[in-house]
Amino acid sequence: MGGENGGATERYTLGVGGRRPPPPPVDDVFRHLSTSGIGGVDGVQAVSDTGPILTVEPVRAEVEMGSITPYESVNGRRYRVRYRKPDRTEAEKRGFTTMREAKLYLSMVTVSKAKGEYIDPALSRVPVSMFADSWLRSKQPPMSKPSYYMTLEQAWKNHVAPVWADREISSIRRSEVQDWVSDLATRKSRTVVIRSLGILAGILDVAIDDRRLASNPARHVRNLPRHGPGKRRVYLTHDQVATLAACSAYPTLVLTLAYCGLRWGEATGLRVRSVNRLRRRFVIEENAVMIAYEIHVGTPKTHERRSVPYPERLAPMIEQACAGKGPEGLLFGDGVNHMRNSGAKGWFANAVRRAQEFDSSIPRVTPHDLRHTAASLAISSGANVKAVQRMLGHASAAMTLDTHADLFDDDLDAVATRLNGQMPLVALPSGPQTRYARPQ
């Protein structure tokens, strides 16, 4: 490494092997050639019994790292680093306040080029919005379910784009992302915060794949909102389910939701061919979801078909629902059009209001609450967790336990009761330090 004072350029070179080594022994550099007539190729000729001998001086590789030049600015002396990019074009970076900072930057550039990890700063001066469309297109159906894509699109427009769309990707710092997450958590739920952060991180991942960014400041954010208590779940009793069905215009659908645990889209997507009347089973293979007032038919939430049994007392009603319809006819409704849940003014909400007039203990419920009711009734009847998982279509039994942990509280009392029945009776010695005596 050489350098000059007085404002001259300092030029740095990286030599393979460090300083120039002493000349090697002649025997190590002579190449014995079996042919003659070759000579004068940047070497010294000699003659032997076998013909000409060509001495070749070992080549010492030397790679230029770059140069550092001081210059005067309004704020005092600064340093400029010049170097060559991997495509051999020149680049520079100005504004270093000390020679040490400039040398460190030049060394980092050199190492990143040698490792193939160099990122051109000019390519990083682009806005986040440049990659947003590409990332969103990668999530469009059939890559994702329409309902899931809609939530991503809304989160991008409402929460991510207003803050980050116009920011250059190279200017984003992890501390800024953390501040944004913390602020968003004060106004939105944990689900919305995590989804919005995931969108920003996914978009920046596209920039990394295009070699425009070295690391993702939206990944590994340390402080995220914690899980809250969640929405209180509503469970109906057998009598309350019967009352609700009796007050409904579609009692068979209400009983199916309450005793089979189907999602709304799974139930309304059932076709006559999906009913195995001999085994009393529903084959769940379609899911009808309404998005922006339009029905989208796709696979179930877990993308896996499953078989769900229905009670024998429900069989005559299912038989009646199938009557007069072909194999492709929809089980519920007119057989052609998917049923819709019209919210507060729809048939289900009206059924709930009428049921509450007969039984004031019936709480306000939604069709999805009947799915929770099905889990409650199944568990109270003695069904094990694995059976409930398969009925509900959860990805794992752990998910069933996490979702319906409150339904298993009574099992703890049952465990204590069973242990009490098997616990041996032992004599306890009297005294201030009473303890169990070892059985003889």
Side-chain angles (χ1 to χ4, degrees), residues 135-153 291 296-301 303:
W135 186 83
L136 286 172
R137 281 195 300 271
S138 71
K139 300 297 181 181
Q140 285 180 336
M143 302 301 180
S144 302
K145 288 187 173 296
S147 55
Y148 176 64
Y149 176 75
M150 182 184 68
T151 61
L152 295 179
E153 194 173 37
I291 301 174
H296 294 260
V297 179
T299 59
K301 188 173 183 178
H303 300 282

Side-chain angles (χ1 to χ4, degrees), residues 428-434:
L428 298 179
S430 60
Q433 297 181 351
T434 302

Side-chain angles (χ1 to χ4, degrees), residues 270-344:
L270 281 173
R271 300 183 183 274
V272 173
R273 59 173 167 79
S274 304
V275 182
N276 186 331
R277 283 171 274 184
L278 182 62
R279 298 185 59 196
R280 296 195 304 276
R281 295 285 183 107
F282 294 129
V283 179
I284 309 302
E285 52 191 357
E286 287 187 5
N287 189 33
V289 181
M290 185 170 66
I291 301 174
Y293 303 102
E294 182 179 351
I295 298 294
H296 294 260
V297 179
T299 59
K301 188 173 183 178
T302 57
H303 300 282
E304 295 181 358
R305 57 181 292 176
R306 71 184 192 277
S307 178
V308 178
Y310 57 86
E312 184 177 0
R313 291 185 178 180
L314 192 57
M317 304 179 73
I318 297 297
E319 188 74 28
Q320 185 178 3
C322 293
K325 300 176 182 176
E328 296 299 320
L330 295 171
L331 180 63
F332 298 111
D334 60 8
V336 178
N337 301 301
H338 290 88
M339 292 188 61
R340 298 169 180 250
N341 178 27
S342 303

Side-chain angles (χ1 to χ4, degrees), residues 34-51:
S34 59
T35 58
S36 59
I38 302 177
V41 186
D42 297 330
V44 180
Q45 285 192 354
V47 180
S48 71
D49 294 338
T50 60

Side-chain angles (χ1 to χ4, degrees), residues 204-215:
L204 295 181
D205 281 341
V206 178
I208 292 177
D209 293 340
D210 285 354
R211 299 189 61 78
R212 292 175 178 264
L213 199 62
S215 62

